[in-house]
Amino acid sequence: MKINIFGRKKYLLGTAKRQLLKALNCRDIAGIRSLIVEWQSILGAEKLTNLIVNEVMVECDSHSHSWFCQIFLGQAQYEQMEEKAQSNIFQILLGEGLEPGKDFSSGLDGMIIVGDRAQQILLSQVPQEHRASFEAQLESLLVLDPVTTIEQQLGCAFFTNLTEIAIQQMQVLSNSQAAAYLGVLLAGLVSRHPQLKDADFPTRFIFNTLQELSPERAILILNDPETNPQFDEIMIFQHLLAAMGDKEYHRIAEEEDGISLDQLKKLDLVWCGERRLSEIVAMMEKWHFRNR
């Protein structure tokens, strides 16, 4: 008899979970509300709540998780929950000695931009049995820093190197040249990797590049009136290649057609002007094939 009762409870819980997950994945508000009323009368409020929190919400995707909380908690409570979660995350990371603006930062729309180290620290704070639930709840708040992702793909500290080069350029360029340099450089980087803009990378890059200048000069550069900045792309190409560790970066300006196909392919990984550099590469390869 006990086995039958246990089996019936397990069957009921499993059925409730499947129905709720299906309605949640379909974003069926009326269906979810109807199921909650129905299963609360069968399982009781406490068991149903435990089922939703510990099983249903764990197995749904992050967008469905956010949607459910926003719909059934209300916008105001949902925003309070997000703010509290973000505050808790910041406190954990600060307590572990991580630096805001370097290891983690606030992005757009309440997102938290984290690097690999910050992500691992957050997961290490959660018991193994609750880790899946924690990841599901935070996935809508966290985004891996695109700087980290791109540098992993390139296999070098590209943005760190590029920042150091840009800092040096600020010492030798005039204010208007410095503004144009940053404008053209960042426009190409963001055009090639739009996720950099979502992570507020341009602001961070400019701040890091100008921080060694006097406040007066930094303001003059930031307030440059030119709305359509122009700068020598060859020099920018040199700096991009140097930041990627290319040993022949200086040669592209030493002679006509000095840039190689290999260097163009490297540049296409990080930068885009009016046309993708890969299009130029394809045209050059086609020309070389025809003239062999």
Side-chain angles (χ1 to χ4, degrees):
M1 182 62 70
K2 288 183 178 179
I3 294 176
N4 289 336
I5 293 174
F6 175 77
R8 183 171 180 275
K9 286 183 178 179
K10 188 175 181 180
Y11 170 78
L12 290 173
L13 289 169
T15 302
K17 178 180 174 180
R18 285 194 299 273
Q19 291 178 353
L20 286 164
L21 272 172
K22 183 177 179 180
L24 183 55
N25 289 332
C26 294
R27 310 289 173 86
D28 183 355
I29 297 176
I32 292 174
R33 286 176 174 157
S34 176
L35 287 170
I36 288 175
V37 172
E38 177 185 349
W39 284 108
Q40 186 169 304
S41 66
I42 298 172
L43 301 174
E46 185 177 351
K47 285 186 178 179
L48 179 61
T49 300
N50 288 336
L51 177 69
I52 291 174
V53 172
N54 297 322
E55 296 191 45
V56 175
M57 300 302 287
V58 170
E59 293 190 18
C60 72
D61 61 84
S62 63
H63 297 293
S64 295
H65 186 285
S66 298
W67 175 83
F68 181 86
C69 293
Q70 198 164 357
I71 292 297
F72 289 92
L73 291 176
Q75 182 65 28
Q77 283 186 283
Y78 175 72
E79 289 178 358
Q80 287 179 3
M81 182 187 75
E82 277 199 322
E83 289 175 6
K84 185 175 181 180
Q86 188 180 75
S87 177
N88 289 338
I89 292 169
F90 283 175
Q91 290 303 316
I92 290 172
L93 297 177
L94 288 170
E96 293 293 322
L98 271 67
E99 297 181 36
K102 180 180 179 183
D103 300 304
F104 66 95
S105 60
S106 297
L108 302 177
D109 299 324
M111 300 294 281
I112 303 173
I113 304 162
V114 298
D116 285 340
R117 186 180 169 209
Q119 191 176 42
Q120 291 304 314
I121 285 175
L122 288 173
L123 290 177
S124 70
Q125 302 289 318
V126 183
Q128 186 66 41
E129 62 270 22
H130 298 304
R131 192 164 293 180
S133 174
F134 182 77
E135 286 186 283
Q137 292 177 48
L138 290 184
E139 192 175 337
S140 61
L141 279 176
L142 299 179
V143 57
L144 186 62
D145 190 347
V147 169
T148 302
T149 303
I150 294 168
E151 287 190 336
Q152 287 176 345
Q153 294 170 347
L154 294 175
C156 65
F158 172 71
F159 291 104
T160 300
N161 298 338
L162 188 61
T163 301
E164 293 176 356
I165 292 171
I167 288 172
Q168 294 172 6
Q169 291 304 305
M170 296 302 102
Q171 304 299 324
V172 298
L173 296 174
S174 68
N175 293 340
S176 59
Q177 288 175 326
Y181 174 83
L182 291 173
V184 174
L185 176 64
L186 287 169
L189 291 170
V190 170
S191 179
R192 182 63 181 86
H193 293 284
Q195 66 269 35
L196 289 171
K197 184 176 181 181
D198 296 333
D200 203 23
F201 167 77
T203 300
R204 288 190 285 160
F205 185 83
I206 290 172
F207 173 79
N208 290 331
T209 301
L210 301 182
Q211 63 180 336
E212 294 186 10
L213 302 181
S214 68
E216 294 78 13
R217 181 155 188 249
I219 290 173
L220 288 172
I221 293 173
L222 290 172
N223 292 335
D224 186 81
E226 180 58 60
T227 57
N228 184 29
Q230 303 291 321
F231 198 85
D232 182 5
E233 288 188 355
I234 293 298
M235 181 179 290
I236 288 177
F237 289 171
Q238 284 183 306
H239 296 167
L240 293 169
L241 289 169
M244 283 188 279
D246 188 298
K247 303 299 183 184
E248 304 296 320
Y249 72 90
H250 57 281
R251 291 192 176 183
I252 68 173
E254 290 179 354
E255 56 186 76
E256 188 177 353
D257 299 325
I259 190 166
S260 68
L261 278 173
D262 182 60
Q263 287 173 325
L264 279 173
K265 290 177 181 178
K266 287 181 180 179
L267 290 169
D268 184 57
L269 296 174
V270 296
W271 201 85
C272 178
E274 292 183 3
R275 298 174 61 184
R276 275 284 302 273
L277 293 172
S278 57
E279 296 177 20
I280 301 175
V281 171
M283 291 174 59
M284 290 178 67
E285 288 182 329
K286 188 176 181 179
W287 184 86
H288 281 298
F289 178 78
R290 287 179 176 176
N291 290 274
R292 280 192 305 180

